Amino acid sequence: MKKHFAVAVALLASITIHAQDTIPHVQGRIDISVQHGTIACDLTLSNMPRLTNYYLRLNSGMNIRYIKNAEGGMQPLQYDRSLQDTLSSGEANAYFIPAYTSTGKYLPRSVRFNYSGMFPVITDSASAVDWRGNIAFNGTTLRADGIQSAWCPILYDVNTDTRYEKVTYDLDITCNDCKVIYLNGSEPVTGTHAVLKSNNVQDLTLFAGDFRSVAVNGNYFLNPDADDQQLTELEKALHSIQDYLAQKLSVPYNGKAVYIQTTPVSKYNSWLFASYPTIVKVGWDDGMKSFASKDQRASFMQYMSHELSHYYFGTFRNFNSTLGDMLSEGFAEYLSLNITRSLISDSLYHKKLLAKVRALNNFKPIPVDGIQSKNDYMNRELYVYYYAPLIFLAIEKEIGEDNMWAWIKSLLQSPATFTNRAFVEATLSKVVNDKNKFAALRDKYFSGTHTLQNAVATLQLATGEPAAAAAGKPAAKTYYYFFFSRPVLDAGSSQNMVIKRTDIQQITCTPDELSKMAEPVFKRIEDACENESGCSADFNTYDSLETAQAALKRWLGKYNKNGTLVVKVLKP
């Protein structure tokens, strides 16, 4: 047993080095004010790979004082900004130092960044939206992830599509209006000042402010809404999931975990994300105490299992190329469903599968072999969280669980510069070890014209429309539905005050007949719009009258919470 553990740790080291061969080091000072929404940084990046075609990504809210060679006595350097680095998205600007070279770029062996940023402190959830890459001050805490937000400069290799967000660090952090300071890879520090060092590679997810820190068996819970006994029970359950994955994948979790609970700076956003060893839950609903609720426990653990699975798909190995997002999120969701089926609730597992099929009812995904860019996902959420895991589950049923685990291990361990389509197919082909069987699988789930229908049929989810469509015989089904139209923007203003809805109706028909029935209603809603910002046109279907009634009540409560809008009922 000990020998097996040693081999797994050695493998972890080798894969990590392969994924990021040179580990940048970040050193310097950071000054934060949670109450004023400010971050001031004087940081030096060293031990960087010798790249000729690179960008240094930094959050667009940061104002640069200077960038210069970190050697003593150097003067500030001219820097330029690229508008072609689409992968940095809207959060970050992509900087480089121009030079008379073949790529027109110069990268000193160590670079010193001096910059500061001031961000809105939103205590009333007045922001229209919150998201992972946001640098969020909610009045009591600062939340900044270590990848998407790019609050610290992140080196990016253009030629190999490689981010170097995983770094070692030696940082001096001061926050005079904080009670706890936490940086990914270090233990939380109680106080206003922390000197944090790590020789283990981490992205720099940062959480600081006024909150409680609770340690359980070396794991930490930051800002929890649960009591100590509930956290002890939760830690035990989360550890059982880690043990399950470690056993199945022959790779142990390395180190302890930190679980963060916090609120968004918007009213309606809610999500979780993993930045190992940190898992963050952002939302207004119950957080860690959900585990203590009989009604919420199973669903809460299902979500947590998805984030714990990102230790393998996202930390143990990063996936790039156009399929990288699908692989990371799709397999994290696949593993979560596997955990749900094996450890949590078989009925919840089947419920989740049926919910995914229903969500994909009108979605026509491009097969994996046809994905040329991330735009081909069309709807990222449906593609990576719904379609992809159904495909993986269908492949599991075809090749067996043992071979499926072998394929996942191969995806995690096989050397590759680009984790693209060729990589995915080569690893599966090797595990199947049968050219004809692999060709059939490839046509059925990766390249055929009915990949989704094939997956649903293989999984025997014959209660839904896609399975019937796969057999070429559209099946009728009973739907309970309502239409709902609301202001697109500025709800509650004098120009945008009208909600229109139908009563709950019942119909038994095929999916195509349902769509045809809905088309003229959509047209009526559009023609009758009374809101100057425009009107939404939402069509909601459910399997039972009770579910539809609860949903309509929920929609009215959400979009007319204060009762200030005018609600009009559309007649058939």
Side-chain angles (χ1 to χ4, degrees):
M1 190 70 179
K2 290 182 179 178
K3 182 178 180 181
H4 176 73
F5 180 83
V7 171
V9 172
L11 177 61
L12 173 61
S14 67
I15 294 297
T16 302
I17 290 170
H18 176 79
Q20 186 168 315
D21 50 353
T22 303
I23 309 300
H25 182 71
V26 180
Q27 183 174 6
R29 289 185 53 84
I30 302 165
D31 289 283
I32 299 166
S33 172
V34 171
Q35 295 178 7
H36 295 97
T38 58
I39 307 175
C41 300
D42 189 352
L43 303 176
T44 297
L45 275 68
S46 59
N47 196 45
M48 296 177 290
R50 306 308 306 142
L51 304 180
T52 57
N53 191 13
Y54 73 92
Y55 294 125
L56 285 159
R57 293 170 174 166
L58 183 65
N59 188 275
S60 56
M62 300 298 186
N63 301 297
I64 298 175
R65 182 185 179 194
Y66 59 73
I67 300 174
K68 62 182 181 180
N69 190 318
E71 295 179 11
M74 297 292 101
Q75 295 298 309
L77 292 163
Q78 295 285 342
Y79 57 86
D80 207 344
R81 176 184 166 191
S82 171
L83 299 178
Q84 299 178 350
D85 183 30
T86 56
L87 295 178
S88 67
S89 66
E91 295 92 346
N93 292 329
Y95 298 100
F96 65 91
I97 300 165
Y100 295 102
T101 63
S102 58
T103 61
K105 297 175 182 178
Y106 160 63
L107 181 63
R109 293 185 180 275
S110 58
V111 182
R112 184 176 176 183
F113 273 76
N114 190 291
Y115 58 93
S116 62
M118 185 171 186
F119 301 85
V121 179
I122 302 175
T123 61
D124 57 359
S125 67
S127 180
V129 66
D130 199 354
W131 70 102
R132 171 171 177 162
N134 191 23
I135 296 179
F137 290 88
N138 66 7
T140 57
T141 65
L142 157 64
R143 181 196 80 239
D145 93 307
I147 302 175
Q148 198 170 329
S149 76
W151 70 267
C152 175
I154 294 175
L155 180 66
Y156 172 68
D157 185 343
V158 177
N159 292 338
T160 63
D161 186 19
T162 302
R163 294 190 315 256
Y164 288 85
E165 78 276 2
K166 294 180 180 179
V167 299
T168 60
Y169 59 80
D170 183 353
L171 295 171
D172 188 306
I173 303 177
T174 299
C175 180
N176 289 324
D177 47 18
C178 288
K179 291 184 179 179
V180 179
I181 299 171
Y182 171 68
L183 185 65
N184 212 17
S186 293
E187 292 188 356
V189 174
T190 300
T192 60
H193 179 246
V195 177
L196 303 175
K197 299 180 181 181
S198 176
N199 291 322
N200 296 320
V201 293
Q202 313 284 349
D203 73 75
L204 298 181
T205 291
L206 177 64
F207 188 62
D210 183 358
F211 53 84
R212 185 167 63 106
S213 173
V214 180
V216 181
N217 294 327
N219 300 291
Y220 283 90
F221 296 88
L222 305 185
N223 196 37
D225 60 358
D227 61 36
D228 289 0
Q229 179 59 39
Q230 291 169 337
L231 293 177
T232 298
E233 295 175 1
L234 173 58
E235 190 275 338
K236 182 178 179 180
L238 294 172
H239 193 269
S240 69
I241 293 175
Q242 292 174 317
D243 284 347
Y244 176 82
L245 290 171
Q247 180 183 14
K248 290 293 187 180
L249 296 172
S250 302
V251 177
Y253 267 74
N254 186 19
K256 298 295 185 177
V258 177
Y259 303 96
I260 295 174
Q261 179 180 335
T262 187
T263 56
V265 294
S266 60
K267 289 184 179 180
Y268 301 121
N269 294 116
S270 179
W271 74 99
L272 293 95
F273 70 88
S275 184
Y276 197 82
T278 303
I279 293 176
V280 184
K281 184 180 190 302
V282 186
W284 292 106
D285 54 347
D286 289 344
M288 297 171 192
K289 73 177 182 181
S290 297
F291 178 74
S293 167
K294 182 179 178 181
D295 294 333
Q296 300 180 61
R297 176 181 297 191
S299 293
F300 174 75
M301 291 304 293
Q302 196 266 337
Y303 289 124
M304 293 300 292
S305 63
H306 175 101
E307 302 307 328
L308 287 168
S309 297
H310 271 306
Y311 173 75
Y312 297 98
F313 284 86
T315 298
F316 183 75
R317 181 165 204 162
N318 284 320
F319 291 83
N320 59 15
S321 81
T322 54
L323 293 181
D325 195 21
M326 185 273 283
L327 293 173
S328 294
E329 295 298 344
F331 270 104
E333 185 64 8
Y334 162 83
L335 290 173
S336 174
L337 289 165
N338 184 288
I339 292 164
T340 302
R341 179 179 61 194
S342 302
L343 302 181
I344 300 173
S345 167
D346 188 65
S347 62
L348 178 61
Y349 166 75
H350 288 286
K351 180 179 178 181
K352 291 290 184 181
L353 288 192
L354 291 173
K356 290 183 185 300
V357 172
R358 284 195 294 269
L360 292 167
N361 184 30
N362 295 313
F363 185 58
K364 294 179 173 56
I366 294 176
V368 170
D369 279 5
I371 297 293
Q372 302 297 321
S373 73
K374 290 184 178 179
N375 290 333
D376 291 334
Y377 290 161
M378 295 182 290
N379 183 315
R380 174 186 176 270
E381 181 175 0
L382 289 180
Y383 202 96
V384 306
Y385 293 104
Y386 293 75
Y387 170 67
L390 288 176
I391 293 294
F392 300 149
L393 284 165
I395 292 174
E396 175 202 282
K397 191 163 185 179
E398 297 262 15
I399 67 176
E401 286 192 48
D402 289 344
N403 279 335
M404 190 67 183
W405 287 115
W407 182 34
I408 295 173
K409 291 178 186 178
S410 183
L411 289 168
L412 293 172
Q413 298 171 8
S414 299
T417 300
F418 295 103
T419 53
N420 52 19
R421 183 188 68 187
F423 166 77
V424 173
E425 294 182 356
T427 53
L428 179 58
S429 177
K430 186 175 181 180
V431 168
V432 172
N433 196 28
D434 182 320
K435 290 183 179 180
N436 292 332
K437 185 173 182 179
F438 169 72
L441 288 171
R442 184 181 183 277
D443 181 67
K444 197 171 183 180
Y445 300 115
F446 287 165
S447 61
T449 56
H450 299 292
T451 54
L452 174 58
Q453 291 89 338
N454 293 339
V456 174
T458 297
L459 294 170
Q460 297 180 337
L461 299 173
T463 58
E465 300 78 5
K473 300 176 182 179
K477 177 184 174 181
T478 299
Y479 300 89
Y480 297 86
Y481 67 90
F482 62 86
F483 290 84
F484 198 96
S485 175
R486 54 191 167 83
V488 174
L489 296 172
D490 264 350
S493 72
S494 60
Q495 294 84 33
N496 303 281
M497 294 189 64
V498 180
I499 287 175
K500 292 184 178 180
R501 68 168 180 85
T502 65
D503 289 326
I504 296 172
Q505 305 290 319
Q506 176 182 344
I507 189 173
T508 300
C509 63
T510 66
D512 286 343
E513 291 168 342
L514 184 70
S515 297
K516 290 178 182 178
M517 180 276 296
E519 287 176 5
V521 184
F522 283 133
K523 185 66 168 60
R524 284 179 55 201
I525 291 173
E526 180 182 357
D527 293 343
C529 180
E530 298 181 37
N531 299 303
E532 292 186 10
S533 68
C535 297
S536 71
D538 301 297
F539 180 38
N540 304 282
T541 64
Y542 304 90
D543 293 334
S544 70
L545 177 60
E546 293 75 16
T547 306
Q549 290 171 333
L552 179 56
K553 182 178 179 181
R554 186 169 63 252
W555 275 64
L556 288 169
K558 179 177 180 179
Y559 294 109
N560 193 23
K561 184 175 292 186
N562 299 322
T564 57
L565 275 67
V566 177
V567 179
K568 298 182 179 181
V569 179
L570 290 171
K571 298 300 181 183

